[in-house]
Amino acid sequence: IGSINTALYDLLIFIGGVICLLRTATDRRERLAWGFLAAAILIWLAGEVYYDIFLMSAPTPPIPSPADVGYLAVYPLAATGLVLLLRHRLGHIGRTVWIDGVIAALAVTALLSSVVFDAVLDSAHGSAGVVITGLAYPLGDMLLLGLLVAAFVAAPTRMFTRTWLLIVVGLVIFMITDSIYLLQTAHGT
């Protein structure tokens, strides 16, 4: 049953990547943004498939591994895609409004940092590669969350579209599950 769950999980990631790729074909104005989001999802899938094939049954998988490269590449690719979408969909927003958004983003990421990042940092041991890899995940989550919070505070009425709500819900679920996993790993559970 484990291999069925793994295959279904990978299939869902693949479907998400294909949906974003389809958006690149149907929306010329946002093609680059959706391309970055598709790349983020599909590189995550590549990391996942590598892990499934080469590391899942390993008694002590190496850290960092090629799977980590795929997992961590999600953050800059997704952040770039989100920034491009924000620029296109939100249009011009004054600097003072963006400053409010940045302040809110810093507050939220500070809260996340105090819960997740500190736990991961406290439990970090091993080589520099292991520690850096472990800390990169909560930093990436905070980056994505900060972008979403800043955009929502800067232009709340423009963020209530079906597309943005799906992106926000998907990224929040991603960040919550990632944070839970990191906390469980930090506590050895």
Side-chain angles (χ1 to χ4, degrees):
I1 196 119
S3 61
I4 293 172
N5 287 341
T6 300
L8 286 174
Y9 178 74
D10 292 347
L11 178 63
L12 288 173
I13 297 171
F14 177 75
I15 290 170
V18 168
I19 289 170
C20 288
L21 278 176
L22 290 173
R23 285 299 297 259
T24 66
T26 61
D27 192 339
R28 293 188 62 193
R29 295 172 298 150
E30 296 178 346
R31 179 173 288 154
L32 188 59
W34 288 107
F36 272 101
L37 292 173
I41 293 169
L42 294 174
I43 200 147
W44 177 273
L45 177 62
E48 203 53 50
V49 169
Y50 183 89
Y51 182 85
D52 295 344
I53 294 171
F54 299 106
L55 303 177
M56 185 182 288
S57 58
T60 54
I63 300 173
S65 72
D68 289 307
V69 172
Y71 297 148
L72 292 172
V74 167
Y75 297 110
L77 291 170
T80 303
L82 288 174
V83 167
L84 291 170
L85 273 179
L86 289 168
R87 282 184 49 203
H88 181 265
R89 291 190 175 209
L90 300 184
H92 177 72
I93 296 173
R95 286 184 185 161
T96 56
V97 176
W98 274 116
I99 290 171
D100 290 343
V102 169
I103 291 168
L106 290 172
V108 170
T109 56
L111 177 64
L112 181 63
S113 172
S114 70
V115 174
V116 178
F117 189 79
D118 287 346
V120 173
L121 183 60
D122 290 344
S123 70
H125 52 71
S127 70
V130 170
V131 173
I132 291 169
T133 302
L135 295 176
Y137 288 101
L139 286 174
D141 289 339
M142 287 185 281
L143 168 71
L144 294 179
L145 182 62
L147 278 171
L148 293 176
V149 169
F152 182 78
V153 169
T157 57
R158 294 188 228 172
M159 293 296 288
F160 282 105
T161 66
R162 182 182 62 211
T163 300
W164 277 115
L165 290 175
L166 287 171
I167 288 172
V168 168
V169 167
L171 285 174
V172 167
I173 290 170
F174 174 79
M175 288 179 258
I176 288 171
T177 56
D178 197 33
S179 296
I180 289 170
Y181 176 78
L182 290 169
L183 287 171
Q184 288 178 329
T185 302
H187 296 309
T189 58

